[in-house]
Amino acid sequence: MNSLFGLSGIVAVAAIIYVFRAIRIVRQFEKGLIETFGQFSRKADAGLVLLFPPFQTLRLVDMREQVMEVPPQEVITKDNASVTVDAVIYFQVTDPAKVVYNVANFAMAAIKLAQTNLRNIVGELELDQTLTSRERINTTLRQVLDEATDKWGVKVVRVEIQKIEPPQDITNSMSKQMKAEREKRANILEAEGFKQAAILKAEGAKEAVVLAADGEKQSVILRAEGQAEAMKRVADAEKYKTEVVYQAIHNGNPTKDLIAVKYLETLQKMSEGPATKILLPLEISGLAGAVTAAAELMRAPSDDAKKS
C-alpha cells in the first residue's frame, strides 16, 4: 500500500514538472520558433505556448530595434590621407526564422560587413569631402547593409557616423587654414566697410551740393519773381495814374494842380535829354490855366539865376 502511494506521488511530481516544461511564455516584444525533432515547425506569437518536450523546443527572438557599434578603424581616403572612422548601426529583425537559421552570428557578420563597406565608401572620397559628407556616407552605407542583411531577415533602419578624425598634423594644418580664411574674411569685411563709408560720405557731399544749388536756384527765382512783381505793380500804378490824368483832361475839368504836376514831371524828364525844342500837343483852350501855371514854375528858376 505504501509502495502504491509512493509511486503515485512520483508520477504526480513528474506530471507537474512535465506541465511546467510544456507551458512556455512568449513576451510581447518576442517571437518564438518551435522546433520539432530539431526541425523548425512553426512560429509562436506572444502569450502561452504549449510544447511537447522533449520532442519540441522553443527559441525566442527579440523583435525590438537594436543598436551595435562598429569599432574605429583606419581608412585611407582617395587623396591618401589616413582617417579614423567609426559608426553606429540601428537594425530590427523582420523575420526571426531567417535571422536564426540563415546566419550563425548576425552581430559579427553585420560589423564586418559595415567595416568593409565603410572602407570602400570613404576610399572613394577625398579628405575634405569625407569631413563634409557625413550624410552621404550614412545613406550609402545604410543602403549597402540593408541589401546585404535582407536575406538574414534583418532591416537596417539607419547608420550614423560617430567621428571622422584625421591625423594630428593634418588637423593642425586645417586649423591654420581655417584661421587664415577667417582673417581673410575679416579683412574683406573691414575693407567693404571702409568702402561703403567712403561711398556714403561722397554721396552725402554730392547731395549737399545739389541741395545748396537747388536752394540758390530757388532763391534767384524768387528774387526775380519778386522784382518782376514789383515792376508790374509800379507799371500798373503808372498806368492807373496816367489813365486818371487822361480821363480828367478829356472830361474837361482838370484841376490846376493835377495838370501842373503832370506837366512838371514831363518837362523834367524831357529837360534831362539833349533835345532843345519841346512840342506840347495840348489843347490851348482847355489847358490855358495849366500852361500858365507850368510856365510860371519853369520861369522861376531862371529868374533866380539872373538875379544871382
Side-chain angles (χ1 to χ4, degrees), residues 57-304:
T57 57
L58 177 66
R59 289 193 178 191
L60 299 177
V61 179
D62 195 333
M63 302 298 292
R64 293 175 296 183
E65 184 175 327
Q66 302 180 51
V67 60
M68 66 175 63
E69 292 188 3
V70 179
Q73 59 176 334
E74 296 290 332
V75 180
I76 304 299
T77 61
K78 186 176 180 180
D79 52 354
N80 296 324
S82 177
V83 294
T84 301
V85 184
D86 64 354
V88 176
I89 301 173
Y90 295 86
F91 67 94
Q92 187 174 15
V93 176
T94 57
D95 191 334
K98 289 183 179 181
V99 77
V100 171
Y101 301 114
N102 290 0
V103 58
N105 189 337
F106 169 76
M108 181 177 293
I111 290 174
K112 295 300 181 182
L113 183 63
Q115 289 179 331
T116 303
N117 286 279
L118 192 58
R119 284 194 295 267
N120 294 336
I121 295 171
V122 175
E124 296 177 356
L125 302 175
E126 296 183 356
L127 178 60
D128 293 340
Q129 295 176 329
T130 303
L131 298 175
T132 58
S133 303
R134 287 177 176 264
E135 188 63 30
R136 175 183 173 184
I137 297 173
N138 293 339
T139 303
T140 305
L141 185 58
R142 187 193 65 79
Q143 292 175 351
V144 173
L145 293 177
D146 195 30
E147 292 177 0
T149 58
D150 184 63
K151 64 180 180 180
W152 297 338
V154 176
K155 179 176 179 57
V156 177
V157 179
R158 61 185 180 274
V159 177
E160 298 291 341
I161 300 296
Q162 292 191 105
K163 63 180 180 180
I164 301 177
E165 294 183 354
Q168 189 61 38
D169 54 345
I170 296 180
T171 303
N172 295 336
S173 299
M174 293 173 62
S175 178
K176 293 180 181 179
Q177 180 181 0
M178 185 179 298
K179 182 179 179 180
E181 185 67 23
R182 290 180 178 175
E183 291 179 354
K184 175 184 175 182
R185 292 179 181 177
N187 293 332
I188 291 175
L189 291 175
E190 185 177 4
E192 287 290 339
F194 285 126
K195 177 182 177 181
Q196 292 295 329
I199 292 174
L200 292 176
K201 185 177 180 180
E203 290 180 351
K206 177 182 176 181
E207 291 180 0
V209 172
V210 172
L211 292 175
D214 288 341
E216 184 65 24
K217 175 182 176 182
Q218 293 296 328
S219 177
V220 171
I221 292 174
L222 291 176
R223 285 199 299 268
E225 290 179 351
Q227 293 176 358
E229 183 68 21
M231 293 175 65
K232 180 179 178 183
R233 292 187 178 183
V234 171
D236 291 341
E238 291 294 332
K239 178 181 178 182
Y240 175 75
K241 186 166 62 175
T242 303
E243 289 177 352
V244 171
V245 174
Y246 179 79
Q247 292 294 332
I249 292 173
H250 282 274
N251 289 335
N253 56 351
T255 62
K256 179 180 179 180
D257 293 338
L258 177 62
I259 298 300
V261 171
K262 298 307 296 182
Y263 272 97
L264 282 175
E265 292 177 356
T266 305
L267 290 173
Q268 182 179 0
K269 293 180 180 179
M270 295 176 64
S271 64
E272 293 176 356
T276 58
K277 294 181 180 181
I278 301 174
L279 299 177
L280 300 175
L282 300 173
E283 295 181 1
I284 302 302
S285 60
L287 300 176
V291 172
T292 302
E296 291 177 356
L297 292 173
M298 294 295 294
R299 191 182 297 114
S302 61
D303 294 341
D304 293 339

